[in-house]
Amino acid sequence: MEGKNADELPAGFSSVIPGWFSEISTMWPGEAHSLKVEKILFEGKSDYQSVVVFQSASYGKVLVLDGVIQLTERDECAYQEMIAHLPLCSIENPKKVLVIGGGDGGVLREISRHVSVEKIDICEIDKMVVDVSKEYFPSVAVGFDDPRVTLHIGDGVAFLKAAREATYDAIIVDSSDPIGPAQELFEKPFFQSVAKALRPGGVVCTQAESIWLHMNIIENIVTNCRQIFKGSVNYAWTTVPTYPSGVIGFMLCSTEGPLVDFKNPANPIDADDSHVEKYGPLKFYNSELHSAAFCLPSFAKRVIGSKED
């Protein structure tokens, strides 16, 4: 932080409280979460967004896109493990999986724990995110090293439109907030493309914002998914301290076909420790937490529950 004037600081780096990063956005007006910055490690601008990596005092290295925290070394497990294992542990023997977004590689790391998986496609729009993650977050980006992974740099919306019908057992949409390059990933045509690319009884898990901040967005997502996915439609959530409000949610949906009971794992990953030697033990996810993730507080249940199964 030394040597930079206020007008030279990356987005979110405060000149009001020198040496701190504050996440400020119209997506969460009137509040900001701050982390003490020890050193800025990388600062760049891709064709799509600004990319910053800094060393924090308490959460390890932090990846920031357009002023918004994407992951920290300390709590990334709570997001990556849940967005991957909630869908994959809900179906037996997933073989073909697609990730939209997820350029840091963390979701790939978690998918790779599943020995039944034979093919993993990932479509990430921003190559800089991939490159920066490999350099500064090797324990996260290790997912790219799996030979089952094929990386496609490009637009996830276009990739899905071009995908063959009924190709995938599971699709995981690891998107940022519905502004900028990720906006289309929250719209109805995108969910229609997802449903088309899934096999009967296939599942999708998509990042679905915070129940404390975005109930209007969540309500719209649930309504769209209920119209498109004729199997099961559910909302789950987890705690991630460095995300706005400290929580983040997921939409989990299945296409018409074999019944998917998202709330009761059919394929428990914590019953198999063959993945531990390569990727280490799970830090957050377990089967009990899987089922508990679908329990909603009353205020959210009144809105979401009325539209769910």
Side-chain angles (χ1 to χ4, degrees):
M1 295 290 288
E2 292 181 5
K4 282 185 177 286
N5 297 322
D7 58 355
E8 296 175 327
L9 295 174
F13 288 79
S14 179
S15 58
V16 178
I17 313 175
W20 288 72
F21 169 85
S22 297
E23 193 175 70
I24 300 170
S25 172
T26 55
M27 289 283 292
W28 41 92
E31 60 184 87
H33 182 245
S34 299
L35 293 176
K36 188 175 183 180
V37 180
E38 291 189 340
K39 185 179 182 182
I40 297 176
L41 303 174
F42 176 85
E43 181 183 353
K45 190 165 181 62
S46 72
D47 292 336
Y48 301 97
Q49 56 203 341
S50 67
V51 181
V52 174
V53 178
F54 69 88
Q55 181 71 43
S56 72
S58 54
Y59 279 85
K61 292 195 288 289
V62 182
L63 175 65
V64 180
L65 302 181
D66 276 347
V68 176
I69 292 173
Q70 301 302 303
L71 68 85
T72 79
E73 288 181 308
R74 180 177 173 184
D75 65 6
E76 55 89 11
C77 59
Y79 178 82
Q80 316 276 21
E81 292 182 16
M82 293 294 275
I83 198 172
H85 301 311
L86 285 174
L88 294 181
C89 291
S90 295
I91 55 175
E92 295 183 0
N93 298 313
K95 296 184 183 302
K96 295 182 180 180
V97 182
L98 169 64
V99 180
I100 300 293
D104 54 70
V107 173
L108 297 177
R109 179 192 66 201
E110 296 307 316
I111 296 170
S112 295
R113 295 180 186 270
H114 290 262
V115 295
S116 67
V117 173
E118 299 172 353
K119 179 178 176 58
I120 310 169
D121 285 324
I122 176 170
C123 186
E124 163 63 47
I125 198 169
D126 196 340
K127 187 175 184 296
M128 183 179 286
V129 173
V130 176
D131 293 340
V132 167
S133 297
K134 287 180 177 180
E135 180 172 355
Y136 293 98
F137 300 91
S139 66
V140 179
V142 65
F144 286 106
D145 296 338
D146 192 298
R148 294 171 290 179
V149 171
T150 302
L151 172 62
H152 308 265
I153 298 296
D155 178 21
V157 174
F159 186 90
L160 262 176
K161 284 181 180 177
R164 292 174 58 186
E165 190 171 345
T167 297
Y168 297 103
D169 299 296
I171 296 175
I172 298 172
V173 185
D174 179 14
S175 67
S176 50
D177 295 310
I179 50 178
Q183 185 170 349
E184 284 186 280
L185 304 184
F186 288 79
E187 296 174 351
K188 192 171 181 178
F190 176 75
F191 289 122
Q192 290 170 329
S193 296
V194 168
K196 176 175 170 286
L198 285 171
R199 64 153 170 89
V203 297
V204 60
C205 182
T206 181
Q207 187 274 107
E209 300 301 324
S210 166
I211 54 175
W212 289 108
L213 300 173
H214 307 122
M215 285 306 302
N216 58 327
I217 296 174
I218 294 169
E219 188 172 7
N220 289 337
I221 294 172
V222 173
T223 298
N224 286 337
C225 288
R226 204 77 181 92
Q227 294 171 0
I228 295 164
F229 295 97
K230 300 306 180 182
S232 180
V233 176
N234 290 272
Y235 187 89
W237 59 303
T238 189
T239 63
V240 185
T242 54
Y243 283 179
S245 80
V247 304
I248 194 74
F250 311 102
M251 282 303 306
L252 288 117
C253 309
S254 64
T255 54
E256 189 173 12
L259 179 66
V260 177
D261 179 5
F262 283 112
K263 299 176 184 179
N264 295 289
N267 176 33
I269 186 73
D270 45 2
D272 174 15
D273 62 1
S274 62
H275 55 84
V276 171
E277 183 176 351
K278 184 172 183 179
Y279 298 108
L282 292 166
K283 297 178 181 179
F284 192 87
Y285 175 91
N286 57 54
S287 292
E288 292 82 7
L289 198 59
H290 179 123
S291 297
F294 295 91
C295 297
L296 301 175
S298 296
F299 74 88
K301 192 173 183 178
R302 280 191 289 270
V303 176
I304 300 170
S306 63
K307 295 179 172 58
E308 282 187 340
D309 289 355

